[in-house]
Amino acid sequence: MSLLTHVLACLFGMGSWVAINGMWVELPLVVNYIPEGWYLPSYLTVIIQVANVGPLFITLMHHFRPGVLDERPVIYCIVGLGIIATFLLAFFWNHKVTIAGSSHSVPLLILSFLLSVVDCTSSVSFLPFMMRLRPQYLTTYFTGEGLSGLVPALVALIQGVGVVHCQNATQASNSTNSEAIHQPARFSAQIFFVFLSAMMVVCLVAFIMLNHHPAVARERKSDRYFSEDLDHDKREQGLSLHAETPEQKPMISPLEATRKKNRSSFGRGTYSNFEVVFIFVVLAWVNALTNGVLPPVQSYSCLPYGKKAYHLAATMAAVSNPVACFIAMFMPIRSLVFMGCLTMFGTGFGAYIMAMAALSPCPLMIHTASGTVVIVLAWILFVLSLSYVKVIIGVILRDEGHSALVWCGAVVQLGSMLGALSMFPIVSVFRLFKSGDACNTNCPT
């Protein structure tokens, strides 16, 4: 394996969701300068789901016109669009347009939509492109995809986004209360968005080198590699024909005959129809939780324990994603039973997080150090376990062929969309969750 190819695959993967992840971590700074305020996350949720028109088009093209659409021109287009949109965002994110007598951040919303199209479409174009490289590099790509959330979060942490200090303030009733004071950022949102544009440029350069660098060309599926696959298929066909002769029929065990009969037509037929459905249901469920259901309630679940708990949970959760990919690189356990158990394990921690968010502003163990430790650990184990499941499913589907990875990206987007749309009315319309105050709590000890 080539270290250069691993680095390029990681940098390529970082460009998949770095733009939208960067938007989310910059929200605490952006909302102070736009008329939408904290309603912007609700708008972003809807915008991202509308942007799924991109992956829908790619998936339908692969389904009805297989082999016609090449991923490489699509990737050049969307990465180029991402570079331009993030660069324009740096200069127009706080521009306002008056519509029907009210002010709106039209440039910000339009550019956010374009970035959402870029990132959503990457799920059904970047993954199939990785089929051109050896299987070992797919896990590296997933590591880069995890870093697409971690790197902007670390830069925002250095920037000082969302840092709050509590300051005593005397009210009219002569009672002393704490007031949350937002500290000024170390550098502006404009510089942050230029950084995101530079990250997209790095992704484009990595993609160009993956296509044209001689060292990477040696790591692609060479003619010998393809011939080995063809020889393997021919051997399987030969064994199948040989097994159908009258002399060999008694050698086939009933279990093996049943297994062959139950194989699905999906991919290479490795898994039965039930197993294929199980894999995709788990994939949709995991992405619904990690991308749509739990992120909107992170502040509700953590902020009652204090601002340090919130920032620690957010940062460590972002770190857990690439760590899970790194673990999967050396311990790729493909057992569907293990995958199901790990999904239940992560879902259990997700349920605890959701319960604490529902109990906000007075969750369990609110005034204790153990409560802070538990909520941070819950976020770490939730992201760690379900991120591992996502990587293993990607590795499994990669072995099933090009179309399997296209459907993998489509199901990822479908699960994320269903999760986000289910939480949007709960959080933004009915407002069933109540935010905790990092500086003041009126909960019983």
Side-chain angles (χ1 to χ4, degrees):
M1 290 188 293
S2 167
L3 177 60
L4 174 63
T5 309
H6 274 296
V7 173
L8 292 176
C10 183
L11 294 176
F12 178 57
M14 285 177 63
S16 58
W17 282 92
V18 70
I20 290 301
N21 287 333
M23 280 291 300
W24 281 110
V25 299
E26 195 69 1
L27 283 179
L29 180 61
V30 170
V31 296
N32 296 321
Y33 299 93
I34 60 173
E36 288 79 8
W38 276 107
Y39 286 104
L40 180 61
S42 303
Y43 295 149
L44 282 180
T45 302
V46 176
I47 286 172
I48 293 172
Q49 305 321 314
V50 174
N52 278 303
V53 65
L56 177 62
F57 172 76
I58 300 295
T59 305
L60 292 177
M61 282 292 294
H62 280 293
H63 181 70
F64 293 107
R65 300 293 298 275
V68 173
L69 188 63
D70 188 354
E71 288 84 18
R72 287 173 294 184
V74 175
I75 294 174
Y76 278 119
C77 290
I78 63 174
V79 175
L81 178 61
I83 293 172
I84 296 172
T86 47
F87 186 76
L88 291 176
L89 197 61
F91 299 95
F92 297 102
W93 67 271
N94 58 349
H95 281 230
K96 306 173 185 66
V97 176
T98 302
I99 300 176
S102 59
S103 182
H104 298 279
S105 304
V106 175
L108 175 65
L109 297 176
I110 292 176
L111 292 172
S112 297
F113 172 75
L114 295 178
L115 291 177
S116 300
V117 171
V118 170
D119 289 1
C120 291
T121 309
S122 71
S123 297
V124 292
S125 55
F126 284 24
L127 275 176
F129 170 78
M130 293 304 296
M131 277 291 296
R132 300 174 184 270
L133 301 176
R134 295 181 183 272
Q136 296 87 342
Y137 298 109
L138 182 63
T139 307
T140 308
Y141 166 82
F142 279 117
T143 303
E145 193 176 80
L147 290 174
S148 70
L150 175 61
V151 173
L154 293 178
V155 174
L157 195 64
I158 296 172
Q159 184 185 14
V161 169
V163 176
V164 178
H165 288 281
C166 299
Q167 179 177 319
N168 290 334
T170 304
Q171 298 178 340
S173 59
N174 294 328
S175 61
T176 303
N177 206 351
S178 294
E179 181 182 1
I181 304 297
H182 291 269
Q183 299 300 303
R186 294 184 178 90
F187 52 87
S188 66
Q190 182 182 39
I191 296 176
F192 182 83
F193 290 131
V194 170
F195 164 76
L196 293 184
S197 183
M199 291 291 296
M200 295 301 297
V201 172
V202 170
C203 173
L204 179 61
V205 172
F207 178 64
I208 293 173
M209 293 184 69
L210 285 173
N211 279 286
H212 302 290
H213 198 281
V216 180
R218 293 191 293 269
E219 294 300 318
R220 293 198 194 101
K221 289 182 174 181
S222 61
D223 294 337
R224 179 183 61 82
Y225 193 83
F226 277 123
S227 64
E228 287 177 358
D229 286 346
L230 292 174
D231 291 341
H232 176 71
D233 293 339
K234 289 178 180 178
R235 285 196 300 270
E236 283 191 344
Q237 292 175 2
L239 289 173
S240 177
L241 291 173
H242 186 63
E244 289 178 358
T245 59
E247 294 80 9
Q248 295 297 326
K249 282 184 178 178
M251 300 298 293
I252 302 177
S253 65
L255 180 61
E256 183 179 356
T258 303
R259 187 178 301 163
K260 288 184 177 182
K261 183 180 179 181
N262 291 335
R263 281 184 177 180
S264 68
S265 58
F266 179 80
R268 297 182 179 178
T270 308
Y271 299 95
S272 66
N273 289 320
F274 174 78
E275 290 172 331
V276 170
V277 171
F278 173 76
I279 290 171
F280 279 119
V281 168
V282 169
L283 182 63
W285 173 256
V286 166
N287 280 279
L289 292 182
T290 56
N291 299 338
V293 175
L294 270 300
V297 301
Q298 186 171 43
S299 61
Y300 299 104
S301 65
C302 298
L303 201 55
Y305 296 98
K307 57 185 182 297
K308 291 183 180 179
Y310 173 72
H311 286 292
L312 188 60
T315 304
M316 294 307 297
V319 172
S320 299
N321 194 320
V323 168
C325 300
F326 189 76
I327 295 172
M329 187 181 299
F330 298 98
M331 297 177 59
I333 304 174
R334 303 191 183 198
S335 168
L336 297 186
V337 175
F338 176 76
M339 187 173 70
C341 293
L342 196 59
T343 301
M344 294 177 62
F345 178 79
T347 302
F349 285 106
Y352 177 82
I353 293 169
M354 183 61 72
M356 296 305 102
L359 292 174
S360 178
C362 298
L364 301 178
M365 301 181 288
I366 183 173
H367 295 294
T368 63
S370 57
T372 302
V373 172
V374 170
I375 195 64
V376 172
L377 282 178
W379 270 102
I380 293 173
L381 295 175
F382 166 74
V383 175
L384 190 68
S385 56
L386 297 190
S387 295
Y388 183 90
V389 171
K390 287 193 285 186
V391 175
I392 293 302
I393 291 179
V395 172
I396 289 174
L397 295 179
R398 191 256 172 230
D399 291 341
E400 293 303 301
H402 180 274
S403 62
L405 280 183
V406 174
W407 282 108
C408 175
V411 172
V412 165
Q413 290 305 115
L414 176 63
S416 303
M417 179 183 68
L418 294 177
L421 291 181
S422 65
M423 291 300 294
F424 176 75
I426 297 175
V427 176
S428 303
V429 178
F430 300 108
R431 301 185 180 184
L432 299 182
F433 293 93
K434 295 181 180 179
S435 180
D437 191 338
C439 295
N440 299 290
T441 57
N442 296 319
C443 302
T445 56

